[in-house]
Structures are given as structure tokens and as C-alpha cells.
Amino acid sequence: MNKTAKIILILIAIAAIAYLLVSKVFSKEEQKTVAAGGPLAQKVAVDVFVVSPTAYQNRITSTGTVLPNEDVELRSEISGRVTKINFEEGARVKKGQLLLTINDAEMRAQLQKLQSNQQLYSDMEKRQRTLLDKEYISVQEYDQVSNQLATATADIQALKATLDKAYVRAPFDGMIGLRQISEGSYVTAATPIARIVDISPVKIEFSVPGRYSQMIKEGDDIIFTSEGSAEQYKAKIYALQPNIDPTTRTMQVRALYDNKDEAMKPGGFVRVDLPLKEMEQAILIPTEAIIPEAAGQKFSWPRMAKLCRRL
């Protein structure tokens, strides 16, 4: 070993001995400072969170829309002039109630003509049957009259079906809205007449994440609040969309609310609270103990140690 190497080894040994001496002296000084009530002896405030098993119910919160039970825009199936309007705007109507009449004078005249022909062919058919029984005429001659009677009867039935379209009736119980036509107006199948809506009950439509699709079933209860009101309402799920939307990864759900006081208006915004499975012995971990990462989240024991202690 040359002289330079020996000098380097001696310097390293001296530095190590000096470090040990300084560390020991500093440790003794620190202990004296703590014992004397120095800065290191000051108390540090910490937040403590007690983790213990407790009952917990998992819940889904979502936003939804109020839908009418039934909603139809009334239109006439045939074209013609409106001769009579039988409803008041905003009034309640019953299923089958006559709401509007289209000019039916021409069809009634045609019906009367067809009924007269039917009677004539009916009388002829009776006479021909009598002659056929006595073998005074051939079967072919009888069949001609019988066919004329059947044709007249079919024409009457077809005309009655068309005539019935001249009377616009309510398809279900509900409330009728603002009318878009007046008496004397000429309407076609494309002319809107009015809208009839059934709002008792109403439907609450909302979406839930697809991962909860197996936890929700028909008959489950939901709690919802309407926009601008803190009052809570209870509804029951009656239908679920059979598939998950591949774009939003959500599943549509509908619940039914009786809406007897008609407080819920179709088109309104609601907040939905859907209770899921209740756990009797659940341990809740503070969110501060979860470290977000690019690939997800992980649990941090050092953070948890600072935040809580177990009983």
C-alpha cells in the first residue's frame, strides 16, 4: 500500500469517529431539552378517528325526470271540417268521451244509401231462397243474389268504420291541454288538435351505474325530492331496462308514484335516493386514507395510522 492510500484511510477513520461523537452529544442534548420542557416537548394536535363496526346502508343517488303515465297528442284519422268541439281546455276527460266531430254529412248519406240497398238485397235473397227450395231457380241464380247481399253488408261495415273516425274520443282518463284548432277549421291527419295527459300516477325515470344492475329489482322503493322543495316522496320501481347503455354504462329505471294530489308535473326534475343492501357490521374508512393513483386508488396505512386508532 502506498503512502497516499494510507493517508486516505486515516482521514475516513477520523471522519467516522467524529460523526459518532457528534451524534451521541446531540442525542444527549435533545434528551435534556425534552426533559427541560423545550420546543421538542411541545404537544402536537392530531385528529383521531375511531374505527368500529356499525350498521351501514349502501345508497345510490341519481337525478331523474317526471314522466306522465300516459301522454297523447290528439289528431284526426280523416280529413274534414270541424263541426263541433266538445271539450274545455284544461278540463278532465273520461275514456271514450267525445271531444271533436268532423263533418260527417256525406258519409251519413252514403250509409243510408247502402242500408237501403242492403234491405233490397235481403228481400230478394228471401224470395230466391223460397224459389230455390221449390226448385224453380238454379243454385247459381240464388248465389248471385246472396253475394250482392253480402257485399252490401260489407260496404256498410266499412263505411261505419270510416264514419267512426269522424268522432275523436279520449283514449284514456286524463287532463286535456290547450286546443290548437277552432270550429270550422279544416283538419288532416297531420293537424294537432290538443294533448291529453294522465298525471295520476306519474313515472319517475332515472339511471343507475351498470355495476349496480344486479342489486336492483322490481318492487324496490325509492325516495325522491322535486326541484325547489325539500319534501320527500316515496315511489316503487316497476320496470327496468333489460340492457345497459354501452355509451353511458348506465341502466334506465322507472318507478311509479301515485301523485294523488297532482303535485308532480311531467317534465319536472327530481333527485332520487335508492337504498341498496344494508350491512349490520361495516367498517367505514376515512377518504383521507385513500391515495388516488392513475390506475385507481390504494389504501395507505401511514395515512390511516395518523387518522385513526382501533378500539
Side-chain angles (χ1 to χ4, degrees):
M1 183 180 293
N2 57 30
K3 186 177 180 180
T4 303
K6 290 180 179 179
I7 294 172
I8 292 174
L9 289 174
I10 293 171
L11 290 176
I12 292 174
I14 293 172
I17 294 170
Y19 174 77
L20 292 173
L21 292 174
V22 170
S23 298
K24 187 174 182 181
V25 171
F26 179 78
S27 179
K28 290 181 178 180
E29 292 297 327
E30 187 181 59
Q31 293 175 6
K32 291 179 181 179
T33 304
V34 172
L40 295 177
Q42 294 180 359
K43 295 180 179 180
V44 179
V46 296
D47 293 329
V48 177
F49 186 88
V50 179
V51 177
S52 59
T54 183
Y56 175 74
Q57 187 172 48
N58 193 14
R59 313 178 78 88
I60 299 176
T61 57
S62 181
T63 57
T65 304
V66 180
L67 302 177
N69 185 43
E70 302 291 349
D71 182 7
V72 169
E73 186 174 59
L74 296 173
R75 297 175 187 266
S76 172
E77 294 186 70
I78 62 172
S79 301
R81 180 174 55 84
V82 177
T83 56
K84 193 171 184 180
I85 296 176
N86 301 298
F87 67 89
E88 295 291 335
E89 295 174 293
R92 292 185 176 278
V93 295
K94 293 291 185 181
K95 181 178 180 179
Q97 179 179 332
L98 180 62
L99 304 176
L100 188 79
T101 302
I102 307 296
N103 184 18
D104 60 351
E106 183 177 350
M107 287 184 287
R108 285 191 173 279
Q110 292 178 357
L111 179 62
Q112 186 174 2
K113 177 181 178 181
L114 290 176
Q115 288 175 336
S116 298
N117 290 338
Q118 182 191 38
Q119 183 61 47
L120 175 63
Y121 292 136
S122 178
D123 294 340
M124 289 176 61
E125 188 271 340
K126 290 178 181 178
R127 290 194 296 268
Q128 294 290 81
R129 177 176 291 277
T130 301
L131 294 175
L132 178 65
D133 291 341
K134 296 179 179 181
E135 299 183 352
Y136 291 159
I137 61 173
S138 66
V139 175
Q140 182 179 1
E141 291 176 314
Y142 170 78
D143 288 343
Q144 289 178 348
V145 176
S146 177
N147 183 61
Q148 289 176 328
L149 175 60
T151 301
T153 302
D155 289 342
I156 289 175
Q157 292 176 345
L159 186 57
K160 283 184 176 180
T162 303
L163 182 62
D164 190 60
K165 296 177 181 179
Y167 311 112
V168 179
R169 302 179 185 275
F172 49 80
D173 295 351
M175 295 186 66
I176 197 162
L178 306 179
R179 58 184 173 89
Q180 307 299 318
I181 48 89
S182 301
E183 249 184 56
S185 301
Y186 185 86
V187 298
T188 65
T191 306
I193 297 172
R195 184 173 292 277
I196 179 170
V197 183
D198 178 13
I199 60 173
S200 181
V202 292
K203 302 170 184 176
I204 307 298
E205 183 178 81
F206 60 97
S207 299
V208 298
R211 63 180 179 272
Y212 295 113
S213 60
Q214 300 298 323
M215 303 181 187
I216 303 172
K217 61 183 183 301
E218 293 182 18
D220 288 348
D221 291 330
I222 67 167
I223 304 296
F224 70 94
T225 57
S226 62
E227 189 175 18
S229 173
E231 186 175 356
Q232 293 186 337
Y233 304 91
K234 190 175 182 180
K236 190 176 293 292
I237 294 176
Y238 77 94
L240 297 89
Q241 189 75 2
N243 65 293
I244 296 174
D245 190 327
T247 304
T248 62
R249 303 300 178 187
T250 60
M251 181 180 69
Q252 280 191 319
V253 182
R254 283 186 179 179
L256 204 63
Y257 173 63
D258 56 27
N259 200 31
K260 292 180 179 179
D261 57 357
E262 298 182 355
M264 296 293 108
K265 301 298 182 184
F269 172 85
V270 294
R271 298 185 184 277
V272 178
D273 183 14
L274 175 59
L276 296 179
K277 183 179 179 181
E278 184 174 356
M279 295 175 284
E280 296 181 358
Q281 297 292 321
I283 296 179
L284 305 183
I285 303 300
T287 56
E288 291 86 347
I290 305 299
I291 301 176
E293 293 182 333
Q297 295 176 332
K298 73 177 183 179
F299 182 75
S300 171
W301 279 110
R303 285 192 179 189
M304 191 61 190
K306 294 180 181 179
L307 292 170
C308 62
R309 62 180 175 83
R310 293 185 182 276
L311 290 178

